Amino acid sequence: MQFVASWPHVSVISIIDILLVAFVIYEFLALVRGTRAALMLVGVAVLALAFYFSRIGELVTLNWLISTLLPYAVFALIVVFASEIRQALARLGRGLTLSRSAAAETDAYDDIVLAANLFSQNQTGALIVIEREIGLRTYIESGVPLDAHLSYDLLATIFRPSAPLHDGAVIIQRDRVAAAACFLPLSMNPVLSTQLGTRHRAGIGVTEETDAIAVIVSEETGAISLAVSGKIERDLTVEQLRERLGQLLRRYVPPSTLPTPITGGADALDADGRRALPHPADSRIDAGADD
């Protein structure tokens, strides 16, 4: 309080006001960093500087043009930054929500890790989307509804190239497979590598629109990727995938929960009674869909 008293024109309310504004600006910059919105933000800053210098330099025509278009610029920014605004509001809602998803308290997602390991070994393309706080009903309705219990065997069956539902994404709600063969929005982020195919862009696209997690397996290389918040983590090992899912789903994952693949056929069981992963030499699924 002595520090505040030494500044007669600065009150406690003013300091709180400044801190809140600084926090909002920081969160906004953190939200747009590394996205296409960052480049658009630079363009908006250039237009703002042009408007400022046109007022100072008394450039009448340029000043009139910018002043005429400025009221419509607000609506244009809302349209352009619609995805970022949705993410910001969703993040705020998650921060204020005290409830936690019941799926984070179960071991059902270990089956996703096991299935991703199988797909990686066999170079089978797969896209698995895990719903969190924001509902994925729109995307679920675009596919084939299943509402089946999540299991390793079910995922392995769905993504078998000869299966009718292997194209598209599987959406997971809690410990249930809500739907398969779902259509997802493709990311149009120009920053993404040209090496990423439709499957990867679809996985990134749904995480740009929602807070979902997408597990992607490339049929070209068998590499495992994880997409969240519009960003992708590529070339993950099975252990890294399990750890990242545990972090994102807010649950502790012991280091010994993932069974070690053993040879001996698809019906072999490990010490915990789980179905062991088949060795690549024992069963290989031919790749069928574009990456």
Side-chain angles (χ1 to χ4, degrees):
M1 296 301 295
Q2 295 179 352
F3 174 78
V4 175
S6 64
W7 294 79
H9 299 293
V10 178
S11 63
V12 177
I13 299 299
S14 300
I15 295 177
I16 295 176
D17 187 23
I18 293 173
L19 292 178
L20 288 176
V21 172
F23 176 76
V24 171
I25 294 176
Y26 171 79
E27 288 294 327
F28 176 76
L29 294 178
L31 182 66
V32 302
R33 185 186 64 176
T35 66
R36 57 180 180 176
L39 299 177
M40 297 178 184
L41 193 61
V42 173
V44 172
V46 171
L47 291 178
L49 289 175
F51 178 71
Y52 174 75
F53 286 115
S54 68
R55 296 292 297 271
I56 294 179
E58 297 182 355
L59 304 177
V60 180
T61 305
L62 182 59
N63 187 24
W64 171 83
L65 179 61
I66 297 179
S67 300
T68 303
L69 297 178
L70 190 59
Y72 304 99
V74 178
F75 299 99
L77 289 177
I78 294 176
V79 174
V80 171
F81 292 101
S83 177
E84 286 72 19
I85 293 174
R86 285 196 298 268
Q87 289 186 27
L89 294 176
R91 180 181 299 179
L92 178 62
R94 291 196 304 271
L96 298 177
T97 302
L98 298 179
S99 62
R100 292 292 180 264
S101 174
E105 301 176 358
T106 67
D107 294 330
Y109 292 106
D110 287 339
D111 290 316
I112 296 178
V113 179
L114 290 168
N117 194 1
L118 172 67
F119 301 147
S120 177
Q121 290 179 347
N122 295 333
Q123 293 186 359
T124 301
L127 175 54
I128 304 172
V129 179
I130 305 172
E131 180 186 271
R132 290 201 283 180
E133 296 293 337
I134 300 178
L136 302 177
R137 179 179 176 182
T138 302
Y139 309 117
I140 292 174
E141 292 176 348
S142 69
V144 178
L146 296 179
D147 191 24
H149 180 71
L150 174 62
S151 67
Y152 161 80
D153 296 309
L154 178 59
L155 293 176
T157 302
I158 291 175
F159 285 108
R160 186 180 296 273
S162 58
L165 301 179
H166 78 281
D167 280 332
V170 162
I171 297 181
I172 307 298
Q173 286 181 317
R174 299 180 182 272
D175 60 345
R176 311 286 294 178
V177 178
C182 298
F183 294 95
L184 303 178
L186 299 182
S187 174
M188 304 305 294
N189 191 346
V191 181
L192 296 178
S193 171
T194 56
Q195 298 178 353
L196 297 180
T198 303
R199 181 176 290 111
H200 287 80
R201 290 185 177 273
I204 298 172
V206 72
T207 62
E208 290 176 343
E209 302 289 336
T210 69
D211 65 340
I213 305 170
V215 178
I216 313 157
V217 181
S218 170
E219 70 174 352
E220 297 284 341
T221 63
I224 301 175
S225 302
L226 182 73
V228 60
S229 300
K231 300 179 182 178
I232 186 168
E233 304 171 21
R234 304 179 63 184
D235 299 325
L236 297 178
T237 64
V238 177
E239 285 297 328
Q240 289 173 336
L241 174 64
R242 184 172 58 84
E243 292 175 3
R244 288 292 289 133
L245 286 179
Q247 294 170 2
L248 294 170
L249 298 171
R250 299 183 181 91
R251 68 185 178 96
Y252 173 70
V253 182
S256 61
T257 49
L258 185 65
T260 302
I262 60 175
T263 57
D267 295 329
L269 299 178
D270 63 3
D272 297 329
R274 271 191 186 275
R275 185 184 299 277
L277 294 177
H279 192 273
D282 295 332
S283 67
R284 182 170 184 82
I285 302 177
D286 296 330
D290 286 338
D291 213 48

